[in-house]
Amino acid sequence: MSAEGLRLYSYWRSSAAYRVRIALNLKGLPYEIIPVHLTANGGEQHSAEYAQMNPQEFVPTLLDGGRVIRQSMAIIEYLDESYDGEIKLLPPTARDRARVRGLAQIVACDIHPINNLRVLQYLEREFNTPTEERERWSRHWIREGFDALEELLAENPSTGQFCEGDDPSLADVCLVPQVYNAKRWGLELTDWPTIARIADECLKLPAFDRARPENQIDAPKS
């Protein structure tokens, strides 16, 4: 398939969109970023136009010609299956794919969803939860998830330079944005040396570096 016309609706600090940017870069696919500001004017994701395209009113959304693909994990697997690229984000064997998906889902299914913007906004709006308590909430769930992830990575012989062997995979694509979130919420990585090492290795690669939040066209200039 030709990758001409790939458009990604993204927000610079969305970790789900961050995952997809990494995946697109690793696959070597050209794409256009269409910024969706999640907090300006009540959140541009809630506009009627965007909600028609993505009824959940989430980012990211990927347009591939006339196709609309929603949910970051589905988008990444779609890209991996549809376009050859230089890297396959899922390994060739069922056993290794299961391990990679399991590691990725610790982040995408267990850590990230209860720390994202809509949850924190709900805690503030419905329960008057102060900023300090919302931040403590986020740190708690990241810590719990990272404790398990560190054990799974550190004690498995399949862990190499990256989460699975010596090539980046879906697991690394999910890990790096969550490391960014951990640092954002004030967590040091000293308790998770394997996670820290793998994240550092990933960020040495141009595909990961270009996807960093601060390198996005909609990132604040300051």
Side-chain angles (χ1 to χ4, degrees), residues 110-147:
D110 297 328
I111 302 175
H112 168 247
I114 52 178
N115 291 298
N116 69 8
L117 179 65
R118 67 174 184 149
V119 170
L120 298 178
Q121 287 178 334
Y122 185 83
L123 289 173
E124 180 182 21
R125 182 177 67 251
E126 299 297 325
F127 302 109
N128 298 314
T129 308
T131 299
E132 181 180 352
E133 295 301 313
R134 296 197 306 273
E135 291 177 355
R136 192 171 75 172
W137 164 280
S138 294
R139 287 193 295 269
H140 169 80
W141 296 114
I142 294 170
R143 178 174 292 280
E144 186 172 279
F146 273 15
D147 285 346

Side-chain angles (χ1 to χ4, degrees), residues 15 19 73 101-115 145-146 149 171 173-179 181:
S15 57
R19 292 174 204 148
M73 302 294 274
R101 285 190 175 111
L103 295 171
Q105 288 174 16
I106 288 174
V107 173
C109 300
D110 297 328
I111 302 175
H112 168 247
I114 52 178
N115 291 298
F146 273 15
L149 196 56
V173 167
C174 290
L175 177 67
V176 167
Q178 193 58 58
V179 167
N181 283 343

